[in-house]
Amino acid sequence: YRLRLTAAGDPDVLYDSGSFAIESQVRRLFLITDYFGPGGQGLRAVRIDTASASTFPNEVLPAALRLAHFVVDEPALVLDAYLDGVPAGEDIAEATVTDPLNVVPGDRSVRLTPADDAATTVHAADLVLGPGQIRTLVVAGAYTDGTVTSRTVADAVRQKIPVVIIDSG
């Protein structure tokens, strides 16, 4: 089976569950709810049975990461960011929080360098980004005295009351 949602009369798919199986003699409910995470079209589906509620295993949602740069130095330090060795942001000014960058979920490494100096590392961090999650890497301290640290913070994702329930029985 596959659950695809469209607006009435519009062929554009707003949500696609990917393929899934429904075991015989099992009654499932499908809950369509608002989704405010990265990517997607504002909808998400949940499978519900007598034992659990779960997302669809073939549903693909990105993760999102942003950087909060609070490394204080004199003169102010402008940063470039690399995600898994690939440029992911440049000329990030002090006291800046970047826009979220949609990425493939999983284990990721972030390396920060002074702007236009890729050979020098200001800070490096390894993190795990889950599907549908938005995380902010807050980096603070002073580079000149070696006190730069970071912490990953989960961004709040707005939740609403479910909008539709579809019964498979």
Side-chain angles (χ1 to χ4, degrees):
Y1 295 94
R2 185 174 208 145
L3 176 63
R4 290 184 178 175
L5 301 174
T6 63
D10 188 342
D12 292 339
V13 176
L14 300 174
Y15 174 83
D16 186 341
S17 67
S19 62
F20 63 94
I22 297 178
E23 302 80 8
S24 67
Q25 306 298 319
V26 173
R27 184 173 177 161
R28 292 218 188 263
L29 292 175
F30 299 99
L31 172 74
I32 310 304
T33 187
D34 292 335
Y35 170 69
F36 296 98
Q41 297 293 323
L43 298 171
R44 185 168 203 181
V46 177
R47 297 185 309 175
I48 302 171
D49 62 29
T50 57
S52 67
S54 63
T55 57
F56 289 87
N58 294 325
E59 174 187 59
V60 178
L61 296 173
L65 177 66
R66 61 188 189 150
L67 174 70
H69 169 13
F70 296 105
V71 178
V72 293
D73 273 303
E74 198 56 51
L77 182 63
V78 178
L79 297 175
D80 287 345
Y82 296 84
L83 183 65
D84 298 329
V86 177
E90 59 184 25
D91 298 329
I92 304 166
E94 181 183 313
T96 296
V97 179
T98 65
D99 290 331
L101 173 66
N102 286 354
V103 299
V104 175
D107 296 339
R108 299 284 171 253
S109 64
V110 176
R111 190 171 69 88
L112 304 173
T113 68
D116 302 319
D117 182 5
T120 303
T121 299
V122 172
H123 185 72
D126 293 322
L127 36 119
V128 177
L129 300 172
Q133 298 176 341
I134 303 172
R135 298 284 186 254
T136 299
L137 180 65
V138 180
V139 182
Y143 175 60
T144 52
D145 66 12
T147 62
V148 177
T149 61
S150 66
R151 174 167 291 181
T152 306
V153 179
D155 290 21
V157 176
R158 194 173 99 186
Q159 300 276 334
K160 277 190 166 183
I161 296 173
V163 293
V164 178
I165 297 178
I166 301 170
D167 187 341
S168 70

